[in-house]
Amino acid sequence: MRQLGDLVRAALATLIALGVGWAAALLVPLYDFLVDEEQRYLPVAYALAWTGIAAAGTAAAAMVVSKLRSSRPIGWAPLVAVPLVVESGLLGCLVALVVG
């Protein structure tokens, strides 16, 4: 019964992390509205946001794999991606606002 609870927690954490990542990915194209006519630094903001989203997914996957290899329960490990995705989205937004 304990294994079922761990599996449910891992599935729920994965769905939350994927949902936050999906929402952040949908918000990245909205950086266009934050810059003036000259969009010289917009690709930098895009690159920061997309790289952060990809790195967050990689970090979450690496944490899950390490827990599987050491035979520990996965639990809420995929949620490590959520703050990383939010931070990368905010960093891209900040670059679009300040530099752009």
Side-chain angles (χ1 to χ4, degrees):
M1 191 61 151
R2 183 169 186 250
Q3 291 176 341
L4 181 64
D6 288 339
L7 183 63
V8 168
R9 274 196 305 266
L12 182 61
T14 303
L15 287 176
I16 291 170
L18 288 173
V20 170
W22 187 271
L26 289 176
L27 292 176
V28 170
L30 296 179
Y31 293 168
D32 287 339
F33 298 112
L34 300 175
V35 296
D36 294 333
E37 299 291 325
E38 186 178 330
Q39 298 180 349
R40 200 170 60 202
Y41 294 103
L42 193 59
V44 175
Y46 282 165
L48 283 171
W50 287 114
T51 303
I53 291 170
T58 304
M63 183 172 271
V64 168
V65 167
S66 73
K67 286 195 178 244
L68 285 174
R69 283 188 178 175
S70 63
S71 298
R72 291 183 294 162
I74 297 170
W76 296 105
L79 285 182
V80 74
V82 172
L84 297 173
V85 167
V86 171
E87 289 171 0
S88 65
L90 288 176
L91 182 63
C93 182
L94 184 66
V95 167
L97 277 172
V98 174
V99 180

